Amino acid sequence: MASSASSARSAPWRRLFQDHLSKMATREAALATIARDPQGQWTPRVRYVGLRAFWGQPELHPEAEKQLKEEDGLNPTIFESDMPTFTTDIRMEKADQLAESGGVVEAAIWAKEANNQWRIKGKAFIIGASAEEEGELEARKQIQKGMWLRDAGGTAVGGEWSWEKEVTTYFANHTPVMRGSFKNPPPGHPVTETPTDPNIKLGQKVYDLHDPTARKNFRVVVIRPEEVERLDLNDYENPKRVQWKYIGDDIEKGQRWVETELWA
Ligand SMILES: Cc1cc2nc3c(=O)[nH]c(=O)nc-3n(C[C@H](O)[C@H](O)[C@H](O)COP(=O)(O)O)c2cc1C
């Protein structure tokens, strides 16, 4: 994520957030969702996820780039966004929670090296199913609202940009062992439940970018931020807290965010 550029249209928090991420040894976020408990009450759920590139600006591992160039080809890098991403397995509980709650999330990131906490509230959208599947086109439509063309003049190299190719790019950017994790037995189920499908087992390495079982479960989650907050703890005698709220797009000025300094 460190190298993906912010541009004139980027959100006012983007450059600094990216700078802090680039200093982190590994980029984990605690991701909160909400779920209904057995009594029907909304209740919080939280887990760590590994943040990946901002949507539209993949940061490819050299091995992934090589395989993509030889096989599917790369999407032209024509889009930008301020939407952080992570990948997941559709069989995990967070996927149902996002579907049930309308995608509400909050991600908390402790950028320890920069002594800053970042909190991102927004909506998360899951893509990676076939375009015929329920919800996929709506998720793409919602993600599109947070994307813009990098250069209206069009310096695109390569073929046409496609959603499928972009999701494959994320899959390719996982090691063969990580790709294999999408063929693990169902996450969260008791180990006494032995899978009947012989393709489902632990410890597999996947080289095929279109392995049917792994790709059936693999998803990209795109977070469209609505409110971002930075807590700067570099000076404990004078901590700084800044909040940015998204208030919509302006045709000429691009995205508009209202910045407010808060007491920490
Ligand atoms: C450092 C770290 C990184 C992780 N990265 C991811 C990730 O990127 N995506 C993911 O779905 N789960 C990731 N996990 C696993 C989740 O924390 C969690 O165990 C899993 O997603 C199931 O959560 P759920 O049942 O709430 O969906 C990670 C865990 C750790 C400790």
Side-chain angles (χ1 to χ4, degrees):
M1 200 178 283
S3 59
S4 59
S6 61
S7 70
R9 248 198 96 162
S10 298
W13 46 267
R14 165 69 180 274
R15 188 181 291 272
L16 193 61
F17 178 50
Q18 201 162 300
D19 177 54
H20 291 179
L21 287 175
S22 73
K23 296 186 171 112
M24 292 169 73
T26 55
R27 296 171 201 168
E28 283 96 29
L31 180 88
T33 50
I34 53 168
R36 283 196 195 274
D37 70 10
Q39 286 73 43
Q41 298 290 324
W42 285 109
T43 178
R45 295 277 185 263
V46 66
R47 82 288 288 153
Y48 282 98
V49 294
L51 288 182
R52 293 181 175 268
F54 285 89
W55 178 250
Q57 297 158 279
E59 290 163 19
L60 284 173
H61 187 275
E63 286 297 312
E65 188 167 351
K66 185 166 171 278
Q67 188 176 6
L68 284 164
K69 278 185 176 157
E70 286 168 4
E71 297 177 17
D72 294 54
L74 288 159
N75 262 338
T77 48
I78 49 175
F79 290 112
E80 285 181 350
S81 84
D82 289 322
M83 297 184 287
T85 61
F86 63 93
T87 60
T88 200
D89 187 313
I90 192 66
R91 299 171 298 169
M92 289 176 169
E93 287 179 2
K94 71 179 85 51
D96 285 341
Q97 291 159 7
L98 291 174
E100 196 187 5
S101 68
V104 291
V105 287
E106 179 160 349
I109 298 124
W110 171 224
K112 191 174 176 178
E113 294 77 359
N115 259 313
N116 273 239
Q117 171 183 263
W118 288 85
R119 292 199 289 184
I120 300 177
K121 294 182 200 171
K123 299 259 163 53
F125 304 100
I126 303 184
I127 51 164
S130 111
E132 278 88 53
E133 270 185 50
E134 199 194 334
E136 176 74 14
L137 290 183
E138 179 57 26
R140 294 181 187 183
K141 204 167 98 189
Q142 293 299 331
I143 293 167
Q144 208 160 0
K145 290 185 186 171
M147 297 162 64
W148 62 87
L149 277 170
R150 196 169 77 154
D151 173 3
T155 52
V157 280
E160 287 226 334
W161 194 96
S162 84
W163 292 86
E164 286 77 13
K165 228 191 261 181
E166 199 72 0
V167 174
T168 298
T169 300
Y170 275 79
F171 188 71
N173 225 8
H174 288 64
T175 60
V177 171
M178 282 304 295
R179 294 177 197 165
S181 72
F182 297 96
K183 301 173 81 172
N184 282 351
H189 284 237
V191 293
T192 47
E193 286 179 16
T194 314
T196 49
D197 180 349
N199 289 311
I200 297 286
K201 51 181 185 276
L202 288 179
Q204 304 185 68
K205 285 189 182 156
V206 170
Y207 295 94
D208 178 2
L209 296 182
H210 297 279
D211 180 286
T213 311
R215 290 300 302 268
K216 190 165 157 263
N217 295 326
F218 178 77
R219 294 292 186 277
V220 178
V221 187
V222 181
I223 302 174
R224 204 177 66 199
E226 291 168 357
E227 194 181 307
V228 175
E229 190 199 270
R230 170 191 177 213
L231 176 67
D232 179 359
L233 293 179
N234 277 297
D235 179 359
Y236 274 90
E237 287 179 24
N238 185 18
K240 296 268 183 221
R241 183 168 165 185
V242 183
Q243 177 197 71
W244 292 269
K245 277 191 176 173
Y246 179 66
I247 54 155
D249 271 9
D250 182 293
I251 291 178
E252 272 164 25
K253 297 191 200 116
Q255 299 185 82
R256 289 166 72 217
W257 293 80
V258 171
E259 180 177 319
T260 314
E261 190 167 352
L262 307 172
W263 292 114

